[in-house]
Amino acid sequence: MEQHREGPALNPGPARRVGVRRRALLVGAAATGLGALAAACSPSPSPSAPPTAAPSPAGPAPLPQADALRTQFEQAAKELLTPGAALIVRTAAGELSATYGSRTDSASDPITMADHARIGSITKTFTGTVVLQLAQEGKLDIDAPVSVYRPDVPNGRNITLAQLLDMRSGLYNYSESFELNRSLDENPGKVWKPEELLALGLEHPVDFPPGTAYHYSNTNYVLLGLIAEQVGKQPLGSAYQTRLFTPLAMHETSFPADAAIPAPHPRGYMYGTNVSTLDTETLPPDQLAAAEAGTLKPNDVTDASPSWTWAAGGAISTAADLATWGRALSDGTLLNPTWQRRRLDSVRSTNPGSASAAGYGLAIGKFGPMYGHTGELPGFQSFTGHDPDRTTTLTVWTNLKAAPDGRAPAATIAQQLIGTLYA
């Protein structure tokens, strides 16, 4: 679980409610919907449970629930008015891959499993994993103050890198600013530099004393990306490639420097504008009725620059690569046992007052039994999660940022499918 809200994204907890876009680059979206799974699903596994064996190289067996899950997936995608969607479910009993709809809103170009999509805030898990690897190698200390690495951060002497990672720093979320959102509408091709984004976030007062509350902030991850480049002595995209994508054979995942999406890919859509959806993704009643009647179409925002998300949400992937990544996040493939245990043990409720709130920790979310993340930015919404106890992986992406009624399509679909998988 990103922009505004990342759909049924992470519950923002006691901090002020963020607009749709900003949480979407998050897990934000997944909380409203997927957070409810915490109470509904079977008990989660122990964070220190050892990874189970990988699927046999002979190829996946058909999933016994395939027909029911496929039907549920298609019905949910249709109800959410998303032009297209892709799904992967992997369990110890078998695997299901399915697609729905079209790459465009004309219903003439079917989605395929080879299609690439922007994955928004799932990128945060890449950034966080690089930071944790650098810590594992003794190159930085996540318990050290941010001021050790960036003296220019307000209150940086009191904020740790760990508090950036788990969204408890108190730093203002730059993607909630009217200034940014107006620019995204008026100049969608503008290429933002990471330091510009950081400056947008740091010019506002901190929201709360570090460690006292949870608030999703893309500022945290732009700052972490800059620190990772400084300490690791290589561009962030290169670090992703050498440390993550190549070891996991994620050959279809990239972190481009421009707005291009590798072929094949769908067009990406959103209703309204960045400014109009700043506080809520739900359309006004007249527009909602028109969208449901088919007379109001979403806007094609495929070619808008995603540079304003950078380390917080700029990556591109496929359903298959996302499923690989979702599993690697929780099975300890990329961290040693000590650091992997620390990562999973770090997950805490985003709203301690709500039993159904999703959890968030060191660049990883928890939705019911699944560790993972959601992602959202104009044009796309995504979810990937893995339950290490049941060896179950679920990945969904859609080429619509939010349904007309405000729900995050991919996270909502994932919520429904998890309900079936754990019935």
Side-chain angles (χ1 to χ4, degrees), residues 226-304:
L226 289 166
I227 291 172
E229 289 192 329
Q230 172 187 326
V231 173
K233 303 186 186 308
Q234 67 178 141
L236 189 61
S238 297
Y240 289 165
Q241 189 64 55
T242 58
R243 290 175 171 273
L244 313 177
F245 305 161
T246 297
L248 292 174
M250 293 169 58
H251 302 306
E252 302 303 323
T253 304
S254 60
F255 187 63
D258 55 27
I261 303 177
H265 71 83
R267 305 300 293 176
Y269 298 91
M270 69 176 284
Y271 287 95
T273 66
N274 290 284
V275 169
S276 73
T277 58
L278 184 57
D279 295 319
T280 177
E281 296 274 19
T282 305
L283 297 180
D286 58 333
Q287 294 182 27
L288 176 58
E292 291 175 341
T295 56
L296 175 65
K297 298 295 184 182
N299 302 313
D300 185 334
V301 293
T302 315
D303 299 323

Side-chain angles (χ1 to χ4, degrees), residues 174 190-200 222 226 307-308 310:
Y174 71 81
K190 174 180 169 62
V191 177
W192 292 82
K193 296 178 180 178
E195 291 287 356
E196 290 181 284
L197 302 173
L198 182 60
L200 273 179
V222 168
L226 289 166
S307 58
W308 63 274
W310 195 54

Side-chain angles (χ1 to χ4, degrees), residues 37-45 366-370 387 389-390 418 421-423:
L37 294 169
C41 293
S42 56
S44 351
K366 192 161 189 285
F367 314 94
M370 288 193 165
D387 174 352
D389 189 44
R390 301 243 320 233
I418 292 175
L421 285 166
Y422 287 82

Side-chain angles (χ1 to χ4, degrees), residues 42-119:
S42 56
S44 351
S46 165
S48 59
T52 52
S56 166
L63 191 65
Q65 300 160 286
D67 289 344
L69 290 168
R70 183 182 292 106
T71 298
Q72 187 175 27
F73 163 64
E74 293 173 352
Q75 290 175 342
K78 181 178 181 180
E79 176 189 340
L80 292 160
L81 300 184
T82 182
L87 164 72
I88 289 180
V89 181
R90 292 176 180 164
T91 75
E95 179 174 325
L96 167 66
S97 296
T99 61
Y100 166 85
S102 175
R103 290 172 175 158
T104 70
D105 62 0
S106 65
S108 61
D109 191 7
I111 294 286
T112 74
M113 292 306 297
D115 283 345
H116 299 81
R118 299 195 192 284
I119 62 171

Side-chain angles (χ1 to χ4, degrees), residues 21-170:
R21 161 195 306 283
R22 7 272 135 222
R23 290 191 320 190
L25 272 175
L26 146 70
V27 170
T32 319
L34 298 182
L37 294 169
C41 293
S42 56
S44 351
S46 165
S48 59
T52 52
S56 166
L63 191 65
Q65 300 160 286
D67 289 344
L69 290 168
R70 183 182 292 106
T71 298
Q72 187 175 27
F73 163 64
E74 293 173 352
Q75 290 175 342
K78 181 178 181 180
E79 176 189 340
L80 292 160
L81 300 184
T82 182
L87 164 72
I88 289 180
V89 181
R90 292 176 180 164
T91 75
E95 179 174 325
L96 167 66
S97 296
T99 61
Y100 166 85
S102 175
R103 290 172 175 158
T104 70
D105 62 0
S106 65
S108 61
D109 191 7
I111 294 286
T112 74
M113 292 306 297
D115 283 345
H116 299 81
R118 299 195 192 284
I119 62 171
S121 281
I122 294 176
T123 308
K124 289 182 173 69
T125 61
F126 299 162
T127 304
T129 302
V130 169
V131 169
L132 293 177
Q133 287 182 342
L134 289 169
Q136 178 178 290
E137 295 160 11
K139 295 177 180 176
L140 56 72
D141 179 1
I142 67 170
D143 295 316
V146 172
S147 58
V148 170
Y149 306 95
R150 289 288 303 225
D152 56 334
V153 175
N155 206 33
R157 289 177 297 177
N158 299 311
I159 299 170
T160 66
L161 298 190
Q163 289 166 338
L164 297 178
L165 287 163
D166 69 8
M167 302 296 185
R168 291 169 173 88
S169 71

